[in-house]
Amino acid sequence: MTPALPRRTLLQATLLAAATPALPHPVGGAHAAAATLPAPAELPAPAAWTLRPFELKDVKLGEGLFATKRRLMLDHGRGYDVNRLLQVFRANAGLSTGGAVAPGGWEGLDGEANGNLRGHYTGHFLSMLSQAYASTGEQAYADRIRTMLGALTDVRAALRKDPAVLSAAGRFGTAAENVRGSYQYVSLPATVLNGSAAITLSAWVRPTHSADWTRVFDFGDNTTRYMYLATRNAAGVPRFALTTAGPGAEQGLDGTAALPIGRWSHLAVTLSGGTGTLYVNGAQVARNTSMTLDPSSLGTPTNNWLGRSNFDDPVFAGAFDEFNVWSRALTAAEITSLQSSRAAASAAGRGTLASYAFDETDGGTFTDASGRGLTATLRRTWGGPSHPGFLAAYPETQFIDLETRTTSDYTKVWAPYYTAHKILRGLLDAHLATDDARALDLAAGMCDWMYSRLSKLPDATLQRMWALFSSGEFGGIVEAVVDLYAFTGKAEHLALARLFDLDKLIDACAANTDTLDGLHANQHIPIFTGLVRLYDATGETRYLTAAKNFWGMVVPHRMFGIGGTSSAEFFRARGIVAGTISETSAETCCAHNLLKLSRLLFLHEQDPKYMDYYERALYNQVLGSKQDTADAEKPLVTYFVGLTPGHVRDYTPKQGTTCCEGTGMESATKYQDSVYFRKADGSALYVNLYSPTTLTWAEKGVTVTQRTDYPREQGSTLTVGGGSAAFELRLRVPSWATSGFKVTVNGAAVSGTPVTGTYFAVSRTWRSGDVVRVAIPFRARVEKTPDDPGLQALFYGPVNLVARNSATSQLRFGLHRNAALSGDLLPSFTPVSGKPLHHTLDGTEFAPFFEGTEDPTHAYFRRYEPKVVLGATDSGVTNPARSDGTTLLDEIWSAAPFTGKAALVAHVQNTVTSWVAAGLLSRPDGEKVVTTAQNASYVS
């Protein structure tokens, strides 16, 4: 009996045999030339979408809160040197970096904040530039995109080839430069030492970095038998050592001072008759007269390297000029003679065992002038990519290591497919924005390379990889791969997208089984945007069902009031919000990706809850994550949003170039992407957000312009321009807009009753000049944390108002003291003149969360209503509470709005009667409460 094939194998076979491309433009071959690739201007909308989004270029931002925030990011995008981003790519390929300094932080090279995500920030920056260009049409952004695409094209081409010497000005002539981050070294033939017992090794070096243990040379077999000269030991000074029994048995020589960075230094070691001497710039700095080992003790070493270590030390960064090896110990005078001239013109003469002048200007080999013909070769520590489509800012070794890794160690492997996703997404966005076919060619090559690796792995290996925290994180790569498939139609690309299925998670969410507790939040949120796109491409409902259920497990059960989620990057137990508040709450990436997921789900199913969430997270966490300060060097975006009392937002995460700074750049250049959607058949226009924008609906021949200062204004005015068109205008009625939502067209009220948390429809043939006015009265309200109802957040309409106070303990406030008959809590506050949305209470100012300041804030406060106060009149009665924490005042005001004072008094009477009967309130105190309700005056 033939064994059944695994599900993944069957899927791959089916896909490869009969894939149905979204576009009839298959790419020719695995590495087709850029000219053969299609360059559509718009990502094709899947048939499964019942709505269609508009492109960024079709929705222009008007002046207002969003435009002000975006302007800061646009200036950053225009001012940051993209050559710094490209440095890590060029270095990895052994190309000249033009002196550019790597961005540092998570984009750092070895020894700088790990650096194992380098390249991810370049992808984010490409996406940001692409969105900036699509939104503004400003040529400067397109020029920067094309510069980056040209550089990345050169990088991929260089990675396909053997490394070539990078020449630089030398001490005497031409030097060989080793760019930091290049992973390149010089390999000498095995016979270079020739069994000599006496020896001199001499080199001119110009270090460009102060990393410890980088080698001038290292001759040996492994980490047991070797002889090396390091530019810096752990104490920062040069060291020579020889051993046949590992580090503990090293016989060495240590210098006395650090070599200067960026300047030429001459190093020489002599060893003969048991005496070793180390010279720096002609001066003797160390001498050891009791050395029992000499180079002949090593035999014929396998590894004879310039710039590389037999240990896992950084490759030498800098330049070499003249490396010579003699089979004798030079005299001090001969060492001195090497300081002022080339070896050939010195008293020492050329090395008799090996002599390299590094005068070559191209190619990857160095001629030996000793007469022994020992040609040296420039190599990469990792060899080269397994596939010509490979593109990255670090070696392929991280991807290879992940395939056998069973535990996470981000210092070795830190989410390589996450980094690949950011680069891939940036390339796709660049193609969409500029129609530059190079971007699509690079993206297609990356996916061809990934498929060539992953398709060969067993399903069990893939499941283990993707379940690894951090190391196996792959971000939104599935979404990006499916988007690429829509362009290329290559069956392998759709098959690749399905190779990232994490079945345990997908199956649990499809069954609506909540297993999120303890999972890394932002590792998993983007998985579900990919699943929605997989559903679009395959029709497999399991994917869409899992994504919908996952969203419902997070919103609202693991959501902070500002729309964010996660604590110290992880999901916690369902329904625990107060218990997860910390300095590391609400990672900003999580909000960014939940917005993307909400948007995608709404395109399938027009449940207003998705756009209610979108408004919440956008107008609060996302806007508030951007500091209101200009800076060309930093995007000034939060990583975590601490929700502890008195927290001061950190807009410059210490390590820099973090994931959240990357997504923050993207968020700030696409604020308008979900303001409007249209039905697939063109019969309706959805207005999801109230934002000053102008929509150009080309298919209808009309424009729709919103003029508003929302959320500083409680409503919006929409004006139709252009020609005439028949369609239904669907205006979102926010879930918090409990009363007063009104719509007029050309001054006349529209019939119908708006329902909270739905869309209010106005259907007509629209003509140029038609004016729609939407009134959306705000009210102040609180949201209670589910696990601690007394801990609350204050909202005014869509805006979270935070208390600005430096106290580091929870503030206590009572809000019912002068509540309006509508239930609005705002009358208990005092507005601040000249500062919209700012109010004070008990001497503390409340301000919108979206203001990107460094004021200490309290996003949550402790509700404190010790007395029953109605209409600003104190009854003198202690405010009792039920066992669940609900107070008498809570229950009284839960019935708001009231049609008038009589309705309120009647409700107070009924509530008091109930509480007295339950033994929660004495009859005399109940009578005082009712009397107070009757005598007090209320704001309507």
Side-chain angles (χ1 to χ4, degrees), residues 888-907:
L888 177 64
L889 282 174
D890 289 337
E891 189 154 329
I892 288 172
W893 288 105
S894 67
F898 300 103
T899 56
K901 178 178 177 178
L904 169 61
V905 172
H907 179 65

Side-chain angles (χ1 to χ4, degrees), residues 38-42 133 146 149 429-439:
E42 184 176 1
Y133 179 58
R146 291 190 175 103
L149 293 178
D429 289 340
H431 176 64
L432 285 166
T434 65
D435 291 346
D436 194 319
R438 292 176 299 177

Side-chain angles (χ1 to χ4, degrees), residues 59-91:
V59 184
K60 301 298 183 185
L61 275 183
E63 284 303 313
L65 174 61
F66 287 112
T68 300
K69 290 271 190 179
R70 185 182 71 171
R71 192 174 296 117
L72 296 170
M73 194 61 76
L74 291 176
D75 290 345
H76 173 68
R78 201 183 294 110
Y80 192 84
D81 182 6
V82 296
N83 286 301
R84 295 188 62 192
L85 299 167
L86 295 168
Q87 193 273 356
V88 293
F89 284 89
R90 286 169 167 154

Side-chain angles (χ1 to χ4, degrees), residues 257-283:
L259 300 183
I261 301 300
R263 288 169 47 192
W264 285 102
S265 295
H266 182 260
L267 298 173
V269 176
T270 65
L271 183 58
S272 178
T275 297
T277 308
L278 173 63
Y279 297 86
V280 177
N281 294 323

Side-chain angles (χ1 to χ4, degrees), residues 200-204 266-269 322-326 330 335 338:
T200 298
L201 302 104
S202 159
W204 281 98
H266 182 260
L267 298 173
V269 176
E322 291 225 324
F323 178 74
N324 284 275
V325 185
W326 291 265
L330 298 185
I335 296 292
L338 293 170

Side-chain angles (χ1 to χ4, degrees), residues 558-571:
R558 293 178 170 89
M559 182 190 74
F560 298 110
I562 57 173
T565 188
S566 78
S567 180
E569 300 193 5
F570 286 82
F571 285 129

Side-chain angles (χ1 to χ4, degrees), residues 168-472:
R171 173 66 176 80
F172 298 113
T174 301
E177 184 174 9
N178 206 37
V179 176
R180 185 160 180 254
S182 67
Y183 293 92
Q184 292 183 170
Y185 68 101
V186 178
S187 178
L188 309 183
T191 58
V192 64
L193 296 180
N194 203 35
S196 298
I199 199 166
T200 298
L201 302 104
S202 159
W204 281 98
V205 294
R206 187 185 64 205
T208 55
H209 190 258
S210 58
D212 293 344
W213 299 115
T214 57
R215 305 294 204 260
V216 176
F217 62 78
D218 196 338
F219 300 151
D221 296 319
N222 44 45
T223 58
T224 300
R225 300 171 62 84
Y226 54 80
M227 177 178 72
Y228 70 79
L229 175 62
T231 55
R232 293 171 59 93
N233 62 7
V237 298
R239 174 173 173 77
F240 169 80
L242 175 64
T243 182
T244 57
E250 286 185 358
Q251 299 178 12
L253 299 161
D254 291 318
T256 56
L259 300 183
I261 301 300
R263 288 169 47 192
W264 285 102
S265 295
H266 182 260
L267 298 173
V269 176
T270 65
L271 183 58
S272 178
T275 297
T277 308
L278 173 63
Y279 297 86
V280 177
N281 294 323
Q284 177 181 311
V285 297
R287 189 174 181 84
N288 185 342
T289 60
S290 58
M291 298 186 72
T292 60
L293 298 174
D294 60 52
S296 66
S297 305
L298 300 176
T300 304
T302 303
N303 306 323
N304 298 279
W305 295 331
L306 304 184
R308 181 179 178 183
S309 167
N310 274 290
F311 290 82
D312 189 21
D313 295 312
V315 171
F316 173 77
F320 285 99
D321 191 2
E322 291 225 324
F323 178 74
N324 284 275
V325 185
W326 291 265
S327 58
R328 63 184 178 88
L330 298 185
T331 65
E334 288 174 316
I335 296 292
T336 299
S337 73
L338 293 170
Q339 308 308 301
S340 57
S341 66
R342 286 189 159 185
S346 74
R350 289 191 175 100
T352 56
L353 293 180
S355 180
Y356 304 98
F358 301 111
D359 285 334
E360 290 82 354
T361 56
D362 58 18
T365 58
F366 302 97
T367 301
D368 172 27
S370 72
R372 298 182 66 210
L374 301 181
T375 301
T377 305
L378 188 66
R379 301 190 189 281
R380 296 189 187 99
T381 60
W382 56 285
S386 64
H387 186 284
F390 176 75
L391 177 64
Y394 49 66
E396 197 175 357
T397 49
Q398 277 206 58
F399 299 91
I400 296 167
D401 189 334
L402 178 61
E403 292 169 7
T404 56
R405 182 165 289 277
T406 57
T407 58
S408 290
D409 180 354
Y410 78 93
T411 66
K412 297 290 191 300
V413 179
W414 191 8
Y417 285 97
Y418 174 95
T419 304
H421 161 244
K422 301 308 174 186
I423 300 167
L424 177 62
R425 182 75 265 170
L427 292 170
L428 289 171
D429 289 340
H431 176 64
L432 285 166
T434 65
D435 291 346
D436 194 319
R438 292 176 299 177
L440 193 59
D441 182 43
L442 289 168
M446 285 187 71
C447 289
D448 292 341
W449 155 69
M450 284 187 277
Y451 182 76
S452 75
R453 290 208 68 87
L454 297 178
S455 63
K456 296 179 175 66
L457 299 177
D459 190 65
T461 299
L462 293 171
Q463 298 300 320
R464 173 178 47 77
M465 286 165 57
W466 308 143
L468 279 175
F469 159 63
S470 185
S471 297

Side-chain angles (χ1 to χ4, degrees), residues 919-937:
L920 298 170
L921 184 67
S922 70
R923 188 174 302 278
D925 282 349
E927 291 172 355
K928 289 178 185 179
V929 171
V930 173
T931 299
T932 301
Q934 292 169 335
N935 294 335
S937 298

